[in-house]
Amino acid sequence: MEPVIIVLIILVVLVFIALIKTIQVIPQASAAIVERFGRYTRTLNAGLNIVVPFIDTIRNRIDLREQVVPFPPQPVITQDNLVVNIDTVIYYQVTDARAATYEVASYIQAIEQLTVTTLRNIIGGMDLERTLTSREEINAALRGVLDEATGKWGIRVNRVELKAIEPPTSIQDSMEKQMRADRDKRAAILQAEGVRQSEILRAEGEKQSQILRAEGEAKAAALRAEGEAQAVRTVFEAIHAGDPDQKLLSYQYLQMLPKIAEGDANKLWIVPSEIGDALKGLSGAVGNFGSNLGGGTSGGGNGTANVPAQERREKPSID
């Protein structure tokens, strides 16, 4: 009985192994290559698949999702004989699992070498300045070449990116100095423009202030002149309304003489020639006033000796 039990156990184990090899579960976005006696038979897609155990074998499982592969920095010589290190990143996707398995031994290594050679060819026709400013152009050229070459491998290159472009250290120092000089130049220009604008605004403000001040002074002078003219006109009209004679004018002239002589700085006082005429007029007025006053007292004491006869006749008697 013991040999029979051992045989049964061996059969159960073989059946279990056969079931495991028969049922193949492929995850989503994956594919598997099936070979029968070393020859490609079919491609297993996602889901539950059944193969012939011990006859069909799984050669390769391939991820069909988009993959990202960074490549190490590669030294590239530009058109102006400068060595720059360029880091690249490739975004690719396997579209044909059979071609990716049988058309190329290692599609990752093939893509890397193709990227390096294409990049050196493209950068070799550009100078350093154009290389630093033409990333989109380089990416498009790389993608076109890689997509065309990898199509027969069952690979589609979706995108190529340049992560970094590192020129030599001496060139970096020179570029930094140039950028610093450009920034200093722009700062100096902006400062000069600010000072210029400030001076222009200040000059315009001073000009406007002077214009307003001049207009104010002109208006004040006009008002002052108008007031003085009005005062002179008022005095002139008052004088003409009072009808002054030469005696009053002479008296006013003598009253103004002390005011002319006022002031500590007046060391020399010049008597005008018109003072003689004024004194003559004033003396005549004083003499007439005295004679009139004396004649009235000596004529009989009643103050009517020199009064005309007509005036005496017109006045009624006090009695």
Side-chain angles (χ1 to χ4, degrees):
M1 292 297 294
E2 292 182 357
V4 176
I5 296 175
I6 294 174
V7 171
L8 290 175
I9 293 173
I10 292 174
L11 289 176
V12 170
V13 171
L14 291 175
V15 170
F16 182 74
I17 295 173
L19 289 175
I20 293 176
K21 287 185 173 292
T22 301
I23 300 174
Q24 297 290 332
V25 178
I26 306 301
Q28 182 67 33
S30 297
I33 301 299
V34 178
E35 292 180 349
R36 179 173 294 177
F37 300 115
R39 185 177 181 178
Y40 171 77
T41 302
R42 59 195 175 105
T43 301
L44 300 181
N45 296 320
L48 182 64
N49 296 273
I50 298 175
V51 298
V52 179
F54 305 109
I55 296 177
D56 294 340
T57 57
I58 303 298
R59 166 72 184 273
N60 192 14
R61 294 178 183 268
I62 298 176
D63 193 347
L64 300 180
R65 295 174 296 178
E66 186 174 8
Q67 304 292 321
V68 180
V69 179
F71 295 144
Q74 299 294 330
V76 181
I77 300 176
T78 61
Q79 188 177 11
D80 47 358
N81 297 325
L82 294 175
V83 179
V84 294
N85 293 322
I86 300 179
D87 295 349
T88 55
V89 178
I90 303 297
Y91 297 82
Y92 73 93
Q93 186 176 9
V94 178
T95 58
D96 189 352
R98 178 182 176 278
T101 303
Y102 295 106
E103 295 295 334
V104 63
S106 176
Y107 56 84
I108 297 296
Q109 186 177 2
I111 292 175
E112 180 180 0
Q113 296 302 319
L114 183 60
T115 301
V116 171
T117 55
T118 306
L119 190 61
R120 287 176 178 173
N121 186 24
I122 295 173
I123 299 300
M126 298 181 177
D127 55 8
L128 179 60
E129 185 176 358
R130 185 181 174 189
T131 302
L132 295 175
T133 58
S134 303
R135 294 199 177 198
E136 293 296 332
E137 181 181 353
I138 297 172
N139 293 339
L142 274 174
R143 182 181 179 279
V145 174
L146 291 175
D147 196 24
E148 181 180 359
T150 59
K152 62 180 180 179
W153 299 340
I155 306 295
R156 182 176 69 244
V157 177
N158 297 325
R159 192 169 182 179
V160 181
E161 290 291 339
L162 301 182
K163 286 200 306 182
I165 301 177
E166 298 180 357
T169 306
S170 59
I171 301 300
Q172 291 182 9
D173 296 338
S174 300
M175 293 172 61
E176 184 177 357
K177 292 179 181 178
Q178 183 180 0
M179 292 177 62
R180 188 182 301 112
D182 291 339
R183 287 195 298 267
D184 294 340
K185 178 182 177 181
R186 289 196 297 268
I189 292 174
L190 291 176
Q191 185 177 2
E193 290 180 354
V195 173
R196 174 175 171 271
Q197 190 67 22
S198 176
E199 293 295 333
I200 290 175
L201 293 177
R202 186 180 298 109
E204 290 180 354
E206 292 179 356
K207 175 184 176 182
Q208 190 68 21
S209 176
Q210 291 178 359
I211 291 174
L212 294 176
R213 190 181 299 111
E215 290 178 354
E217 292 178 356
K219 291 181 179 179
L223 292 175
R224 192 181 303 111
E226 185 178 355
E228 292 177 356
Q230 184 65 29
V232 170
R233 188 162 47 250
T234 302
V235 172
F236 183 77
E237 291 176 357
I239 292 174
H240 280 274
D243 193 16
D245 55 0
Q246 184 64 30
K247 299 174 183 180
L248 178 60
L249 294 177
S250 299
Y251 179 71
Q252 292 292 332
Y253 186 77
L254 289 176
Q255 283 184 336
M256 291 299 297
L257 286 179
K259 295 182 179 180
I260 296 175
E262 288 179 356
D264 298 335
N266 294 331
K267 303 299 182 181
L268 180 63
W269 183 47
I270 300 173
V271 177
S273 60
E274 290 84 357
I275 193 171
D277 298 334
L279 290 175
K280 288 180 181 180
L282 184 60
S283 61
V286 172
N288 293 332
F289 179 74
S291 61
N292 291 332
L293 184 60
T297 56
S298 61
N302 54 1
T304 60
N306 295 327
V307 178
Q310 184 179 356
E311 187 177 354
R312 288 198 306 266
R313 288 192 303 266
E314 290 178 357
K315 289 183 178 182
S317 177
I318 298 176
D319 299 333

